[in-house]
């Protein structure tokens, strides 16, 4: 029954659930486009990790984006190795529900992926999206390198201006270097394609992110 209790705060590395050494069994093919979920991917492919509440709908937003090679859902930003869905839902792993996006930077930029991220949820909510409460639903960007970190931070500042003008509060999104990404159970992968009646609420603010300019870190109306 301990897994049914949702912890109101982040655990520490010492108090997090221990997890396991073996990853979740996974069918390594994207249900929608047939690409590998785990790689290797074509030369030049890069990856990004985003958490924006329920990962079912978030993954769909990204797999529908031209230039995205593959997507997968999982758990990241916490401590418990190879956690399962029930453990993450307890709040005792430190993980957020997250989407791994493999993309071709010649076809879609990291800035464009950030635009999707910001516009698809409400980043001013702390540890929740709508009625989904818990640290696993927090807004988070996990960066692959210093360039992604700087770009994500610049995009946050640009979007904050838009949100403030629209009457929203402070962005609560965590932006941090990525650690391990643990793949979620197979049935979660591309869930909304496998389940035509599946539902994942959208809590977007309706505030548009500035259009991405050609020059990195610059945004235009």
């Amino acid at each position: 029954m301990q897994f049914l209790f949702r912890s109101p705060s982040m655990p520490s590395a010492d108090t997090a659930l221990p997890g396991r050494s073996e990853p979740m069994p996974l069918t390594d093919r994207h249900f929608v486009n047939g690409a590998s979920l785990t790689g290797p991917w074509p030369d030049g492919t890069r990856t990004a990790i985003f958490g924006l509440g329920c990962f079912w709908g978030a993954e769909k937003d990204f797999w529908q984006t031209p230039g995205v090679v593959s997507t997968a859902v999982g758990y990241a930003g916490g401590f418990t190795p190879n956690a399962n869905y029930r453990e993450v839902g307890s709040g005792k792993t430190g993980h957020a529900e997250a989407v791994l996006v493999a993309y071709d930077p010649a076809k879609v930029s990291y800035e464009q992926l950030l635009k999707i991220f910001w516009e698809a949820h409400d980043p001013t909510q702390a540890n929740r999206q709508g009625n989904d409460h818990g640290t696993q639903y927090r807004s988070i960007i996990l960066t692959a390198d210093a360039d992604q970190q700087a770009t994500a931070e610049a995009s946050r500042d640009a979007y904050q201006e838009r949100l403030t003008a629209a009457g929203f509060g402070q962005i609560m999104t965590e932006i941090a270097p990525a650690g391990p990404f643990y793949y979620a159970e197979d049935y979660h992968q591309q869930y909304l394609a496998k389940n035509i009646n599946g539902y994942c609420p959208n809590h977007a603010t309706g505030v548009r992110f500035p259009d991405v300019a050609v020059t990195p870190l610059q945004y235009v109306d």
Side-chain angles (χ1 to χ4, degrees):
M1 293 297 292
Q2 64 172 320
F3 296 129
L4 301 181
F5 172 73
R6 181 171 295 156
S7 176
S9 59
M10 286 282 288
S12 66
D14 292 333
T15 61
L17 294 173
R20 54 198 55 79
S21 60
E22 292 298 318
M24 295 294 164
L26 194 66
T27 301
D28 189 30
R29 286 297 156 190
H30 199 283
F31 185 79
V32 177
N33 65 22
S36 172
L37 297 186
T38 61
W41 297 292
D43 289 347
T45 301
R46 300 203 64 198
T47 59
I49 300 175
F50 304 104
L52 49 157
C54 173
F55 53 16
W56 295 341
E59 186 188 16
K60 183 177 180 179
D61 288 336
F62 288 110
W63 88 52
Q64 292 179 325
T65 301
V68 168
V69 176
S70 186
T71 59
V73 296
Y75 314 117
F79 306 104
T80 302
N82 300 303
N84 62 38
Y85 186 69
R86 188 168 62 163
E87 291 169 340
V88 172
S90 76
K92 297 177 183 293
T93 68
H95 289 308
E97 292 192 12
V99 181
L100 173 68
V101 182
Y103 66 100
D104 181 349
K107 297 179 179 178
V108 62
S109 69
Y110 185 60
E111 290 87 349
Q112 289 170 311
L113 298 179
L114 286 165
K115 177 179 173 69
I116 295 169
F117 167 81
W118 293 118
E119 291 184 349
H121 76 304
D122 183 354
T124 69
Q125 296 189 36
N127 296 329
R128 62 177 292 188
Q129 284 294 301
N131 291 326
D132 290 335
H133 293 259
T135 54
Q136 72 270 31
Y137 295 115
R138 70 190 186 274
S139 177
I140 187 169
I141 302 171
L142 295 169
T143 58
D145 52 35
D147 287 342
Q148 280 195 0
Q149 182 80 17
T151 303
E153 291 172 354
S155 73
R156 174 199 59 204
D157 297 344
Y159 198 46
Q160 183 67 69
E161 293 182 7
R162 292 292 182 91
L163 288 171
T164 300
F168 286 89
Q170 192 73 19
I171 288 175
M172 305 299 291
T173 304
E174 176 185 348
I175 303 176
F181 177 88
Y182 298 105
Y183 286 83
E185 294 87 339
D186 200 58
Y187 75 92
H188 286 299
Q189 306 298 334
Q190 300 85 60
Y191 183 89
L192 294 184
K194 296 173 181 175
N195 298 274
I196 59 173
N197 294 319
Y199 173 70
C200 188
N202 183 307
H203 299 290
T205 63
V207 176
R208 188 174 65 86
F209 185 82
D211 289 333
V212 177
V214 175
T215 304
L217 306 184
Q218 293 185 3
Y219 304 97
V220 297
D221 289 329

